[in-house]
Amino acid sequence: MIRRISPTLFAIFLLASPVAAQEVAGAPHDPVAAKAEGDRILAEGRAADVFDNITEDGVTRLRHKASGMICIFDAAARGNVVRIYPQSRMTPNRGDDVSCGSTLMGATFTIYATRYQVMPSEAQDMASSVAGIRDNWSNVQPLTGAFGVASVEGRPTPLFAAFKGRHPYGWDASTFIILTHIDGWSFKTRASGPVADADTIALTAGLMSVSSIPPPKN
């Protein structure tokens, strides 16, 4: 199920969401500390040439220079990280394949931006992502529920998939994929965590996705 909302309603939804409220309440409101966390993430990931630290308030924000994706971090969260993946035949330029992630509420969230030399269709891209889950997880099954992913007017409707299974580290979990192609970039949000918290994880992943992925240029 897709929930399509206007930018104004999205702002209201974000403020009203108990998940968002929890994260805002947990975030340090010290701009200096938030900026320092951004610098630490970039230094640890050796990514200062690929991302800009655009933090201006108490929430850490890093912008991927090539795609415009904005990575949003709670500076107090565990596992805040950016990754630049090795160049390959499909992604020949440094910065063509990156991600940022963190651990919140006992779940992991990762947002990817990838510019392929030959861009697959969204359906092919999603099929590859699902195949990756099936190859690495065991006992994978579709996860049903009243899940929804937020989409903002003027942007493509993202593809969405939900599963449950045994995580490679040996714990049972739910996992979600939100995928969309914009201006030659593949943007993918992955979130995994306890099945009991699936609704909250899916909602948080959707909010992160629409907050991080840039609007189409045209």
Side-chain angles (χ1 to χ4, degrees):
M1 179 178 66
I2 299 294
R3 297 191 183 109
R4 180 167 289 277
I5 54 180
S6 70
T8 301
L9 286 178
F10 170 69
I12 296 171
F13 180 52
L14 182 62
L15 291 173
S17 165
V19 174
Q22 176 182 339
E23 295 310 319
V24 170
H29 295 286
D30 178 358
V32 174
K35 187 82 169 182
E37 173 65 0
D39 290 340
R40 184 201 66 77
I41 295 169
L42 291 179
E44 188 173 273
R46 299 181 179 180
D49 62 321
V50 175
F51 288 84
D52 288 321
N53 187 348
I54 60 170
T55 304
E56 295 181 350
D57 53 21
V59 178
T60 301
R61 292 179 174 84
L62 305 178
R63 181 170 56 209
H64 181 226
K65 296 179 181 181
S67 72
M69 178 178 72
I70 296 176
C71 301
I72 304 171
F73 301 92
D74 178 344
R78 295 185 296 110
N80 290 340
V81 63
V82 297
R83 292 186 174 91
I84 303 173
Y85 298 102
Q87 294 157 249
S88 68
R89 180 176 60 84
M90 289 296 293
T91 53
N93 304 307
R94 176 172 166 81
D96 276 355
D97 191 13
V98 304
S99 71
C100 51
S102 62
T103 300
L104 301 168
M105 305 172 296
T108 59
F109 297 87
T110 307
I111 300 179
Y112 301 83
T114 308
R115 177 168 54 189
Y116 295 104
Q117 185 78 353
V118 178
M119 178 66 77
S121 68
E122 288 187 343
Q124 291 170 329
D125 205 355
M126 175 62 86
S128 177
S129 298
V130 172
I133 293 173
R134 295 191 181 279
D135 287 344
N136 292 285
W137 292 46
S138 60
N139 194 31
V140 176
Q141 305 171 42
L143 181 61
T144 58
F147 305 121
V149 56
S151 179
V152 177
E153 290 178 0
R155 302 190 188 189
T157 299
L159 302 184
F160 178 80
F163 299 93
K164 62 181 178 180
R166 179 60 60 91
H167 189 278
Y169 290 164
W171 47 285
D172 292 330
S174 60
T175 191
F176 301 91
I177 306 169
I178 302 170
L179 186 149
T180 188
H181 288 181
I182 297 177
D183 294 333
W185 285 88
S186 168
F187 296 102
K188 179 175 62 180
T189 302
R190 280 291 311 275
S192 301
V195 176
D197 297 330
D199 288 346
T200 300
I201 294 168
L203 174 60
T204 305
L207 290 173
M208 287 183 171
S209 179
V210 296
S211 298
S212 299
I213 295 172
K217 295 178 181 176
N218 297 313

